[in-house]
Structure formats: C-alpha cells, structure tokens
Amino acid sequence: MSERPRVLIELGDELERAAQRVLTGRRRRLGAGRAPTLGSLMAVLAAGAAVAVAVVAILLIGHRHPHALKPAGPRPGVSVPRGKILDRNGRVLVGSRRAIDVEIVPAHLPVPLSGEASQLAGPPIADQAVYDRLAAALGISTRRRACPVLRSTWRLTEVACDVARGVSRPGSQNVTVASDLAPGLGRNVAAGLPGVTAATVYLTTYPYRDLGAQMLGTVGAITAPELSEPQFRGVPADAVVGQTGLEDFYDRYLRGRYELQTSIDLGLERVGQSSLASSINRNTSRRGGAGAFVAMDPQSGQIYAMGSLPSYDPSIFTKAISRSAYANLVSPRSGDPLNDRATDGLYATGSTFKPITAMAALVSGVWHLGDTYDDTGQYCFSQGRLCLHNSGNVANGSLDLVNAIRVSDDVFFYNLGAKLNADPATHPSGGPLQQWARLFGIGQATGIDLPYEASGRLPDPKWRAAISQVEKRYEEKHHTGCCTIAYPGPWTVGDNVNLAVGQGNLLVTPLQLAVAYTAIANGGTIVRPHIASAVLGPGGQVVQQLEPLPARHVNLPPADLAAIRAGLHESATRPGGTSAPVMARLPEPVYGATGSAQHADQPDQAWYAGYVPATATSKPIVVVVTVEKGGFGAVAAAPVARQILSQWFLGRPGPYVAGSSRTP
C-alpha cells in the first residue's frame, strides 16, 4: 500500500477549535478519598489535553485515520466473487453470495448517454419515461430533488440522478439502481424496459457479523482518487475494491479470486470479543464503554485474535449506505465503531509500561539486581515541594525489583524515572528510558498487515519543544495571554517520572504493547505482527506463504530479563501480586502486569498485558486487553485476558473472575 503523507505542523481549523474548547473548558477535579498520584497531578497540569491530542494525533504522528472511508458507491456487487478470508482452520470469515442487481446500461437507453450527458440540464424525455417506470416498479420516489454532479446541481428524480452521476464518472459503465433483489423480482422489473437489465452479481458476506469487523475490513465502489493510484491501474471505474482492513491490504489477491488464509482462531476471537463486551457492561456505562484486545504468538508474530468494541456489521457497506448511517458509524456518540482501537487506539498504558522502565534502569546501571528501595508510601522531588503517592497511600517497605513489579509499586518506579532522566540540553531525544522504549517499539508502527496503524507517541525533550512552538504560535495569533495551553514549559524530571509509570504524554496502541511483551517473552526479538499466513489458489493450494521477518533483535541481558520475568510471574501467581487472584488457577504459568491509566475528567482506563512463554507450552501466547473507563486493571482487564487464556489452553472461557487489586 502507498505510504500516507505526513501532515505538516500547522495550526489548522480543527486544532484551533480544539484549543478554544480547552481555553473555555473545565479543569480536572481530583477524586475524593484518593491520594493524588503523579498521573492525577499531571492530569491537572494537562487540562488542555484536547489541544495535545489534536497536535499529536493530527499533526505530529503522521497518521491518517481510516475514516477516510466513503459510503458505498452505486455498484456494491461484483461480476465474479472476491476471494474468501479464512481463519486458521479454514472456516470462512468473509465470503460472498450471488445476488440480483437492476442496472441501467446508458448506451442502450432510448437516447443513448455518454459522459457528455453530465453537461445536460437533465435526461432526455424518452429516458425520463424509462426512469419513472423503473422507479414505480421498485417503489422509488419520482420527486425531483437537488442532484450535485461535477460542478453543477440539477433538479432530477432519484433514478435520473444516479444515472447522471454514473455517466459523469471517467470510464463509467452500467449504473446500479437497486441491489440484492429476489431473482424473479429483479428480472420482472427489467423486462420490457429499454436500457435496463437484471445482472447477477456477488455480494460480500460476513457470517459472524460484527466479529473482528475492523480487522477484516470492508469493500466498496472504487473512488476517483483511487483510480489514479498505481495498484489500481487498469481497474474499471465501476469496480468494487477493498476499502479497509484485510480487504484493503490484500485487495489485489482477493479481487483476483485468491483466498486469504489467516492465523485468526475463530473460537478465540469470539471469546475475546464476548468477554470484552461483558467487562464493558460490568465496569462502564454501556453508552460510553469501549476497549480492545490482542492475542498473538510471541515467537512468530502471528495474530491469534484481535478485536475492538464497539463494533459494527460490515455488510452495511455491501449496499448503498445513507449519509446519516455513515455519520453514525464515525460519531463519538455511538462510540466511533469504525475505529480499530487495537491498532489505532492511542492511550497511556499505566503500570504495564513498568517492565520497560525496569530494563532501562538495569541495563543503564542506575539500578542493580541486589539494590533495594524503602517505599514509605510517597516519593518527593522538586526539593520536597511535590510528593507523589501509591494508590491508597500504601507503603510497601523495602523492595527489590522483583517485588516492586509483583505489587506494582508506583513509588519504586517514580524513583527509577527520576534516576533515568537525562539533561534535555545534551539529550534532546531523552535518556535510557526513551532509548529502551524505542527498542521495544514504543512510538513506532508495528508493521502489521493492515492499511492503517497509529504510530503512537514516546515523549521526549525534542517532542516537548516542538509542541511548545505550536502552542506559542497559537497564543501569538489569538492573544490568549497565558503561558502555554497544555504543557507547562520545557521538559523536566517530572515528565520522566511520569513516563516511568506509563502516564503523562505517552500514547501507545494495544498492538504496540503486545509487541513489546513478545520481546520479554521470547528473549528480545521484536516480531512483526501479521494476520494473513498464506494466499491460496482456487483449489486451496498455497500460492504464497506470508511470513514476515522480525523487525529486529534487542540484546536483553539474561539476568536482567530473568528478574523482570520473575516479577511478572509473581504478579500473576504469588500473594500480593496484582492479578494473582485472577490468574493463579490457570493450567499454564502466566506472566503479566495490570495497569490503570489516569485521564482527565473520566474514570481510569484498565489494562492487562501478559503471556505464557514457549518454555512452558507448545502454544505460547501474548495477550493485551484494555477497557476505556474500566477502572483498575485487575478488575476490568485481567478477567478478559483470563478468559482468552482459558479458551486457548482449555477450549472454553471458564468463569469471569474479577480481581480486587486497587493498584494502578
């Protein structure tokens, strides 16, 4: 696929509107009865988060949102079936079926039409008579309405408008007026009407409806800009092509009737989506609930299951879709179901980031395996003017690294974050913490075989300086009279302290976090995640294996890695471990971490990231789950991961077991 262009750093209208909302918006209120952690304090300082999101997601990340998808055009069917998309066991995830469309053949109308018809004030009288008879047979209105075509707007009937638009397209052929009719009805409607035909076409089908919809993708009429792209050279102007997801990425194969074998396990996909939905319903308001999950092989990078909620039924795009229906699919009020939160959701990760901080501290030498830290329940810096606390003001006493990971001790990792900070003047790209986060893939696209993927954000002094310049230009233009909109000055040690616990300006996708945990599980290989495993010919024979090479290998010192793994294992199995009550009874050894990321003016976001290694099973797996507004990771995210693991190893999800840990 062609690379999407980066967007220049400019103060566009969208950013300005976001900034204005920030300047007139409310500040975060700290929750009563809960001691302020660094995340909550920084949330207050970042009350202008809307500008930050606008700047980063729109300007700095260089990511094009898949909402560039347009409503289906006038030809939802194809004359030959597209290739199927299959799960790892050959079950059909996306197929096709025969249908009847009623089409107008412009060249066979009483007054034949060509592209020049787009310059007319309306159809010839003889053709209008055909349109009206056809409309009456199909129950379509014959009332004239505004019909924009090219640079003109006419008043035409609905059928005449469809034809005018169709013939005005370069290389246009037949114009579909009605889709998916019963065979007898379609042929009866077309009988005796000049220029009207009943065509046998194939419509894409989704046997499991909204299951994995964002990943599988949609098809639709090719757009005018796509016709000029190299991969569509020679494709007819009325063709149907992949628009999102796997349908888009592998369109040249699927359009050529090849089948696509994936590594998706249908049973695991079902359990992941249903368990995530259950957690959303239990822990969030149904109206605002959302989340994502990823399950993958830490050795090869194959995706076993991946999903995002809320979801939608992709079959809506196999027919013409109204603008209002499309608007609902991209509306925040409906949860933006077209958005794939597994690959495009950008979030702070909370404590699931701590293993990366631990590796940076050990390898850089600011911490050693024999060192201990006395957690008194708070960490103070800025000469004692700012003190940060564990959740609930808990003091865990003397801790080594393993036990700090086991209980997910914030104060311990605040200390590491301060030690890992580097002078911004000499280290504009940050210190060891940023260096190791980059090695683990944070702030970078993973390279998954999907057309769109967010690259995320790893904050460092250089990024902060760039943001400050954008904010400064906004303030100079609008004379706001304040220092900054969202970020208080240059990079400080507090920023690094915040990053060390997965908070602040960090933005990571669930898939990125899963890739980072694969490296912990497999000993340092940064895999390239992929969904498709093979292209199959008409007889089911393998035409091409799809096995991408790893992105790179990172040298993780064995003793350091063993300590981090021990902490993750104890977190999932030993008393005091944040997910031990959830994971302890599973048949395979689980290594994992909970997380709760704080956001301004809303409940915390729940996380779980864990794995079962290849040293323990022939079926190694990494699982990452996040639930927006879900609260604590042990309560809302770990139970979903547990059911995914139970399905993978036992063939059944087992009970929904929620933990009780209130550690972020």
Side-chain angles (χ1 to χ4, degrees):
M1 302 301 296
S2 59
E3 182 180 355
R4 267 56 185 182
R6 292 180 60 85
V7 183
L8 298 177
I9 301 176
E10 296 293 342
L11 281 170
D13 292 341
E14 186 166 359
L15 175 58
E16 294 188 18
R17 287 193 296 272
Q20 191 60 36
R21 289 195 298 271
V22 169
L23 294 174
T24 59
R26 299 174 298 168
R27 292 186 176 271
R28 170 174 166 81
R29 298 187 299 273
L30 292 178
R34 182 174 174 185
T37 63
L38 181 57
S40 60
L41 289 172
M42 292 301 288
V44 174
L45 296 176
V51 168
V53 171
V55 171
V56 175
I58 299 172
L59 306 177
L60 294 182
I61 293 176
H63 163 63
R64 191 180 108 179
H65 199 279
H67 291 177
L69 172 70
K70 295 296 186 294
R75 187 178 175 81
V78 289
S79 57
V80 294
R82 285 174 66 85
K84 300 173 184 175
I85 300 179
L86 311 173
D87 89 333
R88 65 189 303 109
N89 297 309
R91 288 171 290 197
V92 177
L93 300 175
V94 182
S96 63
R97 64 177 175 84
R98 288 180 20 163
I100 298 295
D101 284 1
V102 172
E103 300 177 349
I104 289 180
V105 186
H108 294 169
L109 286 167
V111 181
L113 299 180
S114 65
E116 296 177 355
S118 62
Q119 305 302 318
L120 300 174
I125 294 176
D127 292 346
Q128 185 62 59
V130 172
Y131 302 158
D132 289 346
R133 290 174 60 191
L134 180 58
L138 293 171
I140 298 175
S141 171
T142 57
R143 182 177 61 86
R144 293 178 180 266
R145 57 184 177 82
C147 176
V149 181
L150 298 178
R151 296 179 178 84
S152 302
T153 299
W154 310 329
R155 293 195 62 79
L156 300 176
T157 63
E158 185 173 337
V159 174
C161 182
D162 287 343
V163 175
R165 286 177 172 177
V167 299
S168 68
R169 298 181 69 194
S172 63
Q173 298 180 21
N174 296 0
V175 177
T176 301
V177 178
S179 301
D180 199 15
L181 299 179
L185 175 61
R187 294 187 178 94
N188 288 338
V189 166
L193 289 177
V196 181
T197 184
T200 299
V201 298
Y202 292 86
L203 296 178
T204 302
T205 60
Y206 303 85
Y208 304 102
R209 300 177 65 85
D210 67 348
L211 191 68
Q214 298 90 346
M215 170 183 63
L216 296 173
T218 58
V219 298
I222 193 168
T223 64
E226 286 171 335
L227 283 170
S228 62
E229 294 182 9
Q231 64 267 34
F232 295 120
R233 185 174 291 116
V235 174
D238 62 347
V240 170
V241 299
Q243 293 290 346
T244 62
L246 293 174
E247 289 279 13
D248 181 356
F249 196 89
Y250 290 103
D251 177 70
R252 65 190 180 102
Y253 294 113
L254 296 169
R255 189 163 21 95
R257 303 177 68 179
Y258 290 100
E259 294 184 347
L260 190 68
Q261 180 94 48
T262 72
S263 54
I264 297 299
D265 184 283
L266 177 58
L268 200 65
E269 186 74 25
R270 280 171 160 166
V271 168
Q273 187 156 315
S274 63
S275 182
L276 179 62
S278 178
S279 179
I280 289 171
N281 290 338
R282 288 167 182 255
N283 298 289
T284 72
S285 65
R286 291 173 183 246
R287 182 178 180 84
F293 67 91
V294 177
M296 63 187 296
D297 183 349
Q299 303 299 115
S300 68
Q302 285 190 346
I303 299 293
Y304 295 144
M306 187 166 71
S308 174
L309 289 179
S311 189
Y312 67 101
D313 186 347
S315 63
I316 191 173
F317 289 104
T318 63
K319 302 177 184 179
I321 179 174
S322 68
R323 292 186 178 274
S324 61
Y326 180 77
N328 186 60
L329 290 174
V330 299
S331 168
R333 292 183 178 181
S334 59
D336 195 4
L338 285 188
N339 184 29
D340 187 347
R341 287 169 164 84
T343 59
D344 281 356
L346 291 168
Y347 312 109
T349 66
S351 295
T352 58
F353 190 83
K354 288 175 180 175
I356 297 174
T357 302
M359 184 61 72
L362 291 171
V363 178
S364 66
V366 305
W367 196 257
H368 303 91
L369 291 177
D371 293 347
T372 59
Y373 180 81
D374 185 16
D375 170 21
T376 62
Q378 67 177 13
Y379 178 79
C380 299
F381 62 104
S382 295
Q383 298 179 340
R385 292 193 300 271
L386 178 60
C387 292
L388 309 172
H389 303 79
N390 288 320
S391 178
N393 288 317
V394 171
N396 287 308
S398 181
L399 294 170
D400 61 9
L401 182 70
V402 172
N403 282 298
I405 294 175
R406 173 177 63 88
V407 299
S408 191
D409 189 278
D410 281 344
V411 168
F412 182 97
F413 283 91
Y414 292 152
N415 176 56
L416 293 187
K419 288 179 176 293
L420 288 165
N421 192 49
D423 183 356
T426 56
H427 296 80
S429 297
L433 183 52
Q434 285 82 1
Q435 174 191 351
W436 276 94
R438 290 188 187 96
L439 289 174
F440 276 100
I442 303 301
Q444 306 158 42
T446 67
I448 191 172
D449 49 347
L450 289 174
Y452 307 105
E453 177 189 10
S455 56
R457 175 177 68 197
L458 177 62
D460 59 24
K462 182 169 58 178
W463 168 83
R464 172 60 63 76
I467 288 292
S468 297
Q469 287 300 311
V470 173
E471 293 175 340
K472 182 180 179 181
R473 289 202 297 272
Y474 179 88
E475 291 159 5
E476 290 174 347
K477 179 177 180 179
H478 295 276
H479 307 290
T480 60
C482 71
C483 48
T484 59
I485 299 170
Y487 299 102
W491 185 267
T492 69
V493 65
D495 294 308
N496 226 55
V497 168
N498 214 13
L499 177 60
V501 295
Q503 286 284 173
N505 308 136
L506 177 71
L507 291 177
V508 177
T509 70
L511 180 62
Q512 282 179 338
L513 188 63
V515 169
Y517 270 70
T518 65
I520 297 172
N522 66 33
T525 298
I526 306 297
V527 299
R528 197 175 299 278
H530 56 285
I531 305 166
S533 56
V535 177
L536 307 179
Q541 73 276 18
V542 175
V543 174
Q544 182 178 347
Q545 291 283 358
L546 301 173
E547 299 176 350
L549 296 174
R552 60 188 173 278
H553 185 82
V554 180
N555 183 26
L556 304 179
D560 298 341
L561 180 59
I564 292 169
R565 286 172 169 173
L568 291 172
H569 186 45
E570 293 191 6
S571 179
T573 58
R574 292 282 303 278
T578 58
S579 64
V582 182
M583 300 294 178
R585 293 178 179 268
L586 286 171
E588 301 291 347
V590 179
Y591 298 67
T594 59
S596 301
Q598 295 176 329
H599 299 277
D601 294 322
Q602 64 182 6
D604 293 352
Q605 180 160 343
W607 284 90
Y608 191 80
Y611 65 90
V612 176
T615 54
T617 177
S618 61
K619 298 169 59 178
I621 186 172
V622 165
V623 177
V624 168
V625 177
T626 190
V627 180
E628 295 180 16
K629 305 177 185 179
F632 291 101
V635 177
V640 179
R642 183 193 190 283
Q643 291 196 298
I644 291 173
L645 292 171
S646 180
Q647 173 68 26
W648 186 243
F649 290 112
L650 300 176
R652 59 184 185 275
Y656 183 97
V657 179
S660 58
S661 173
R662 295 300 189 264
T663 300

